[in-house]
Amino acid sequence: MNIQELTEWLNQRLEVGKFSEKDPSLNGLQVSCSGKTIKKAAFAVDACLETMRRASSCGADVLIVHHGLFWGEPLALTGNHYTRIKTLFDSDTALYAVHIPLDANPEIGHNACISRMIGLKKESLKPFGEWRGMTIGFCGEFEQEETLDSVLSKLFPKGEKAAHILPFGPEKIKTAGVISGGGGSDLLQAVEKGLDLFITGEIGHEQYHEALENGISVIAGGHYQTEVFGLKALAAEMGRETGVETFFIEVPTGL
């Protein structure tokens, strides 16, 4: 399997074409490589110099990320941008980025994975959270009533800490909405749905009073921490389906 064939597999699995007109990021192959056989693929949240260097040192033929290098505007190949591109060229490592398609995928996307992890009933899940005309998250009902602590233990079973917690909703939680990453501004969509809990990556100052006054709890799990799940699920599936060796590079930002 060469890079063109792998790109086709990824584009089809993630339905990248459905989002091409509305997602400002350049989903798909952002930097190519030679015509070599792709044997090893690295996965990471960000297309930063650290992940590129570590992917190269581990012999990866391609680096697959959620946050790529291009976001709707051309960038001059200077400064840090030049250094990143040169690092990929020097190691003959391709770069594939997938943004909203990985947030929204109903099976292996970040939000679908989180919904399963915290125990939302599959039959209750509904698309939730509109951004630029695209629905990227999910909401649903729990199998049984939960508390904030029980949801947190399911979301972060290894004891990771959420960035912020606003415990302003009912003590017994029956419903939740999930939008990973920078979904704090979508809090009012959760309020409109009458949800007990809103899970996202990061929130802003203004969301504190919106949550308090509307009686809804918020778990801001961290932008980075809520956007590893889909990448890991994709890595596992790609390894099974294509035979390419996959591994995940952890470069947490604490944000």
Side-chain angles (χ1 to χ4, degrees):
M1 176 175 282
N2 59 32
I3 191 60
Q4 286 76 28
E5 292 168 333
L6 181 60
T7 296
E8 183 178 352
W9 185 90
L10 287 164
N11 287 347
Q12 290 181 353
R13 180 62 184 92
L14 297 166
E15 299 182 293
V16 167
K18 289 174 56 176
F19 303 89
S20 58
E21 294 183 2
K22 296 179 179 179
D23 187 354
S25 58
L26 181 62
N27 291 305
L29 187 64
Q30 293 192 343
V31 179
S32 191
C33 62
S34 65
K36 62 183 177 179
T37 298
I38 303 299
K39 298 179 180 180
K40 185 181 288 191
F43 287 73
V45 174
D46 302 305
C48 60
L49 190 58
E50 174 68 14
T51 58
M52 292 173 184
R53 286 175 171 167
R54 287 170 60 179
S56 173
S57 68
C58 291
D61 300 301
V62 59
L63 172 61
I64 298 170
V65 300
H66 185 49
H67 301 137
L69 292 175
F70 302 98
W71 298 90
E73 297 181 359
L75 291 175
L77 297 182
T78 59
N80 292 336
H81 193 55
Y82 164 79
T83 303
R84 292 169 176 170
I85 296 292
K86 186 177 186 299
T87 300
L88 293 172
F89 282 168
D90 287 348
S91 60
D92 195 23
T93 305
L95 177 70
Y96 182 98
V98 55
H99 188 223
I100 296 302
L102 190 58
D103 290 313
N105 190 278
E107 297 167 338
I108 57 172
H110 301 309
N111 298 309
C113 289
I114 292 173
S115 297
R116 284 195 300 272
M117 289 179 66
I118 64 174
L120 294 182
K121 293 187 292 188
K122 183 178 180 180
E123 61 272 18
S124 75
L125 287 181
K126 298 178 181 178
F128 160 73
E130 185 175 308
W131 183 74
R132 296 195 178 198
M134 300 173 286
T135 304
I136 59 177
F138 295 94
C139 65
E141 302 172 0
F142 287 98
E143 292 282 355
Q144 57 187 17
E145 292 180 345
E146 301 282 354
T147 65
L148 271 178
D149 285 342
S150 65
V151 174
L152 283 165
S153 67
K154 293 177 181 179
L155 182 60
F156 299 126
K158 295 182 180 180
E160 303 94 332
K161 301 298 183 183
H164 295 93
I165 300 173
L166 304 181
F168 302 145
E171 183 176 340
K172 295 182 178 179
I173 301 169
K174 300 178 182 178
T175 59
V178 181
I179 302 176
S180 65
S185 60
D186 299 317
L187 171 60
L188 290 180
Q189 294 188 54
V191 171
E192 292 170 2
K193 289 280 187 182
L195 300 176
D196 298 329
L197 172 65
F198 178 54
I199 298 175
T200 188
E202 58 183 272
I203 53 172
H205 168 81
E206 62 273 19
Q207 275 86 53
Y208 180 95
H209 290 288
E210 290 177 349
L212 177 63
E213 293 167 11
N214 285 289
I216 184 173
S217 292
V218 178
I219 295 175
H223 198 131
Y224 177 91
Q225 289 189 146
T226 58
E227 295 198 321
V228 302
F229 302 109
L231 287 161
K232 292 180 178 180
L234 176 60
E237 183 172 305
M238 195 179 92
R240 291 192 303 269
E241 296 292 326
T242 69
V244 173
E245 179 185 347
T246 65
F247 64 98
F248 188 80
I249 299 173
E250 291 277 11
V251 186
T253 62
L255 301 171

